[in-house]
Amino acid sequence: DAGITQSPRYKITETGRQVTLMCHQTWSHSYMFWYRQDLGHGLRLIYYSAAADITDKGEVPDGYVVSRSKTENFPLTLESATRSQTSVYFCASTLLDYTGELFFGEGSRLTVL
Amino acid sequence: AQKVTQAQTEISVVEKEDVTLDCVYETRDTTYYLFWYKQPPSGELVFLIRRNSFDEQNEISGRYSWNFQKSTSSFNFTITASQVVDSAVYFCALSGQNDYKLSFGAGTTVTVRA
């Protein structure tokens, strides 16, 4: 089925380890986003990408790295995980259409011990 | 900078009551877009509506209605005759013209009791 999928859905890691969250969409949407959701903050933008090989920082990019070598994939890497990065991470994509609707993945719950 | 404020953290109502969620925004853009998303207990994010800054008409979709008032920078959301299935976190969000980076409010948790 077409859609946007994230993996892993759940991850427990330790401080200092590298973690990569994967995001794959089958619509060929040009824009892709990574948000983190924390209680009291709603969703905050980490990084976004307008197309393959074009990425830019969002509101809270520190400690994260992204890449987009293919239109359909947008992995998010925590190079050295910290406890403050414990969160639920959402990937999203959109076309530049009238509705401007973001299509979200199911989320990846990351716990950093 | 864009900012969205949802002052209500939690709202609890009894089934069939109406509930109104407040959303106040700040932006310097003259053209912008406002959104509402729903996040049910299962965790996914569901798009509800998008309005552009030039369209101040109120909108109704079934039991949902939205009141956009540019003069007060508000985009409030009302659920009429609430049902248990309306229990969710509701997010208001804002983006600028040609800018698909959404700024979200902190969310309002709605609990509808049977």
Side-chain angles (χ1 to χ4, degrees), chain A residues 33 35 37 40 42-43 48 90 96 98-102, chain B residues 35 37 39 43 45 47 50 91 100-102 104-106:
Chain A
F33 307 82
Y35 285 88
Q37 182 178 9
L43 281 79
Y48 67 101
F90 284 95
L96 300 181
Y98 170 73
T99 67
E101 175 185 355
L102 288 190
Chain B
F35 301 79
Y37 279 82
Q39 186 177 42
L45 285 149
F47 169 81
R50 173 184 118 148
F91 292 100
Y100 289 84
K101 298 179 293 180
L102 264 62
F104 284 82

Side-chain angles (χ1 to χ4, degrees), chain A residues 39-59:
Chain A
L39 194 63
H41 291 281
L43 281 79
R44 291 179 292 175
L45 183 64
I46 305 170
Y47 269 95
Y48 67 101
S49 169
D53 297 322
I54 300 175
T55 63
D56 207 346
K57 296 177 180 179
E59 181 185 354

